[in-house]
Amino acid sequence: MSRPRTPANRRPASPRRVAKAPPAQPLLLVLNKPFDVLTQFNDDQGRATLKDFVDVPGVYPAGRLDRDSEGLLLLTNDGRLQARIADPKHKLPKTYWVQVEGEPSDEQLRQLRDGVTLNDGPTLPAEARRLDEPELWERNPPVRFRKSVPTAWLELVIREGRNRQVRRMTAAVGLPTLRLVRVAIGPWTLDGLQPGQWREVPALLP
């Protein structure tokens, strides 16, 4: 007995996705990701990953932090919390301390505050201010400086999550980034964590 044919203009109904139940014990971890560590738990090239520092099963990053950037990374086992933190539509502020090559001018800071046009479109306005050199851990390996060019520190607060956005923004105004440290996401901060250290915090939606 032949089966009835599906009309060409109608697709078979796809199975409905069932929302994953929240975990019985939601977890939220704050990690200080070291420099040169991938924001993932496995790597087939033998590079350093989160697995080298976090031994908690079932958690995954809420958002990303580039391999050559340092600082605050949040990990959770709760999909709703992960989406709330990582999805740019929620516009959680992300605070970065940025060491740049050059001496920032008022005009360059104004450009960052107004929004910078990148190759994937204009950014949202950022909060940008000069920053006295912060007390941070030594980076390994150290930053390479050009002795003939001064450096300075900025604090940048953005509410987007584009690929390498902060580095591209500072480069666009003539201030190449030398070192990039994320110190806060929304209400969460490093609060004294050293590179590779993490702590558990209440898993509450901001």
Side-chain angles (χ1 to χ4, degrees), residues 28 62 74 76 78-87 90-94 185-188 201-206:
L28 181 61
L74 298 171
T76 183
D78 187 333
R80 293 177 310 156
L81 186 56
Q82 191 273 346
R84 179 68 180 82
I85 295 167
D87 195 325
H90 297 299
K91 294 183 172 54
L92 272 184
K94 302 176 182 69
I185 300 175
W188 299 289
V201 294
L204 302 174
L205 290 168

Side-chain angles (χ1 to χ4, degrees), residues 87-150:
D87 195 325
K89 73 181 181 182
H90 297 299
K91 294 183 172 54
L92 272 184
K94 302 176 182 69
T95 304
Y96 297 85
W97 289 349
V98 194
Q99 187 177 25
V100 297
E101 192 174 73
E103 190 63 46
S105 67
D106 291 341
E107 172 61 19
Q108 288 168 315
L109 292 175
R110 183 194 64 77
Q111 290 175 339
L112 293 169
R113 292 173 185 142
D114 289 346
V116 179
T117 299
L118 304 176
N119 58 6
D120 53 357
T123 69
L124 294 175
E127 297 173 37
R129 68 182 183 93
R130 294 181 185 86
L131 188 69
D132 291 335
E133 183 173 353
E135 292 187 11
L136 290 171
W137 53 89
E138 293 291 327
R139 203 190 79 172
N140 184 23
V143 175
R144 291 184 179 180
F145 300 102
R146 291 194 293 172
K147 293 181 179 179
S148 59
V149 180

